[in-house]
Amino acid sequence: MSQSPVTVDQLILRARVSQLLEEFFSRVDRAEPVADLLTEDSEFREAKGRTEVTELLLSLAKKRADTGRTSRHFSSNIAIDELADGRYRVRSLVVVLSLDTQPEARGELLAGDHDDIVEFDADGVCRFVKRTMVPAFRLGLAQD
């Protein structure tokens, strides 16, 4: 559901995309909905549409909470390429520290390569159209 192309200043582009990534992962870590950060037809994994993607992420957060696990996500090495019609390809490395809160905790360190599409609407709001992640590695953390 693309609108007319939006021209975005490069500094504003980088700031808005970085804010979007940070807000998205912050909400995922706090098990809060991300619907307003997604376009109506957004995609992530097998989920299609804003509601389905949000429900998927909330179900993953509940699963973590039920097993006594908490997570912290952060992204780095952000590269942005202009596509068309106010859309941009955003590539980044995402690192996740997943910690157990139970006795005998172990946790994991995960990294993945994100290749996303974001879109700016006529009001300059940046939202995810599609999120794609390819796992790079997963390491189990030993308890001291």
Side-chain angles (χ1 to χ4, degrees), residues 90-103:
V90 178
R91 290 169 290 142
S92 60
L93 171 68
V94 176
V95 177
V96 183
L97 182 58
S98 187
L99 297 172
D100 294 337
T101 57
Q102 307 276 334

Side-chain angles (χ1 to χ4, degrees), residues 129-141:
V129 174
K130 185 173 184 177
R131 303 220 68 197
T132 306
M133 194 275 292
V134 176
F137 69 85
R138 171 181 270 167
L139 299 172
L141 303 176

